[in-house]
Amino acid sequence: MTINQSDNWLIENIKAIEYDVQQALIQSHRAPTDCQIMAVTKTVPAQLVNRAIQSGISLIGENRVQECLSKWDSYQLENAQVHFIGHLQTNKVKSILPKVSMIESVSSIKLAQEIHKVAKQLEQKQDILLQVNIGKESSKSGFFIEQLPEALYLLQQLPNIQIRGLMCIPPKDRTEYYFSQMEQLFFQIQQQQLDNIIMDTLSMGMSSDFKLAIKYHSNIVRLGTILFGSRNTI
């Protein structure tokens, strides 16, 4: 990706996305500020990310530890937070934890335990989301629905992590069905009022399906292509 001489296209993209998100919220009888736009910044240069922040984006999503660390010193984060949303190996927790306000992609008990261990060393309480493999796809990480009760029971006993909710990447077929399942699951857990589990965040929906995700109560939509354009993978 190269940066154009003018970044008006980015400002216009942000305005258009903000409008679409607000309209989707209104159509779903939700408050027009009830869903946060996350800018997914994989392969996006730091200076372009900073321009997005200057244009009103307040949440950044990082997929890869090494890329996040390499761009970190160039970021201007006075008015933005960073979430880690990619696959996280346990041996990378120590390097990423001080940087991010939330880890959305907690896909195993082992990973959660390591996050708790490092957070305790740092004397902090780390916000996390549990990644749900809603379609039971072998190519994706995460908890199956039937594994969640035990996971919640074990993880709510770890005082240095705070479970804030759920995230998912559903299969491309029957997307609405899986979003509906996630919505039901989210509210079921929320109604249980479990100790150390706030359950106020449902992160789902990307560039191709964020409006549908909002219909099913997503309150973080993770947008990359629609915001920054097509990107080369590395």
Side-chain angles (χ1 to χ4, degrees):
M1 173 181 288
T2 59
I3 302 176
N4 297 338
Q5 290 183 342
S6 171
D7 53 16
N8 287 338
W9 61 271
L10 177 60
I11 298 170
E12 292 305 314
N13 281 357
I14 292 171
K15 288 180 180 178
I17 292 166
E18 288 175 339
Y19 176 81
D20 287 345
V21 167
Q22 289 176 4
Q23 290 303 303
L25 287 165
I26 291 170
Q27 290 170 14
S28 301
H29 307 289
R30 298 172 61 191
T33 57
D34 198 27
C35 184
Q36 196 167 10
I37 297 167
M38 172 189 287
V40 177
T41 57
K42 183 170 64 176
T43 77
V44 179
Q47 55 266 45
L48 195 57
V49 177
N50 289 336
R51 189 67 186 98
I53 294 170
Q54 293 165 7
S55 302
I57 294 294
S58 60
L59 183 58
I60 303 301
E62 289 286 342
N63 290 81
R64 296 171 177 168
V65 172
Q66 198 56 46
E67 182 183 355
C68 177
L69 297 178
S70 69
K71 296 191 290 188
W72 190 262
D73 288 341
S74 299
Y75 278 164
Q76 299 169 359
L77 296 171
E78 294 85 0
N79 298 310
Q81 293 185 331
V82 178
H83 288 189
F84 191 81
I85 61 173
H87 178 69
L88 182 59
Q89 298 174 313
T90 54
N91 64 350
K92 301 290 187 181
V93 170
K94 187 170 293 186
S95 58
I96 200 67
L97 208 62
K99 307 292 187 185
V100 300
S101 60
M102 180 181 284
I103 297 176
E104 294 199 9
S105 48
V106 177
S107 56
S108 70
I109 298 292
K110 181 181 177 182
L111 176 58
Q113 289 172 332
E114 181 65 19
I115 293 169
H116 172 264
K117 174 185 171 183
V118 175
K120 186 175 182 179
Q121 293 170 352
L122 296 172
E123 299 182 341
Q124 68 182 53
K125 190 163 188 171
Q126 179 63 49
D127 286 345
I128 67 169
L129 303 183
L130 299 186
Q131 181 172 346
V132 181
N133 189 342
I134 190 66
K136 294 187 175 180
E137 296 174 280
S138 60
S139 60
K140 293 177 183 174
S141 302
F143 297 94
F144 295 165
I145 288 178
E146 57 267 27
Q147 295 173 326
L148 279 174
E150 181 181 9
L152 290 167
Y153 173 76
L154 292 173
L155 298 183
Q156 71 181 134
Q157 300 176 56
L158 302 179
N160 287 87
I161 59 173
Q162 177 72 71
I163 299 173
R164 293 285 302 276
L166 307 174
M167 74 89 77
C168 79
I169 306 171
K172 292 183 179 179
D173 63 316
R174 301 179 72 200
T175 303
E176 185 164 10
Y177 168 75
Y178 290 114
F179 281 159
S180 175
Q181 276 200 318
M182 286 296 299
E183 179 190 47
Q184 292 175 35
L185 183 64
F186 176 74
F187 284 122
Q188 285 171 3
I189 298 171
Q190 189 181 71
Q191 289 168 6
Q192 293 175 37
Q193 298 182 338
L194 300 171
D195 291 341
N196 199 31
I197 298 174
I198 296 177
M199 203 56 56
D200 62 0
T201 303
L202 181 57
S203 175
M204 61 184 192
M206 297 186 287
S207 292
S208 62
D209 56 19
F210 71 92
K211 296 178 186 178
L212 188 60
I214 289 171
K215 177 182 176 182
Y216 290 97
H217 279 87
S218 173
N219 50 27
I220 294 179
V221 289
R222 308 183 301 268
L223 307 182
T225 301
I226 195 173
L227 181 61
F228 294 112
S230 298
R231 293 161 291 169
N232 297 323
T233 58
I234 55 175

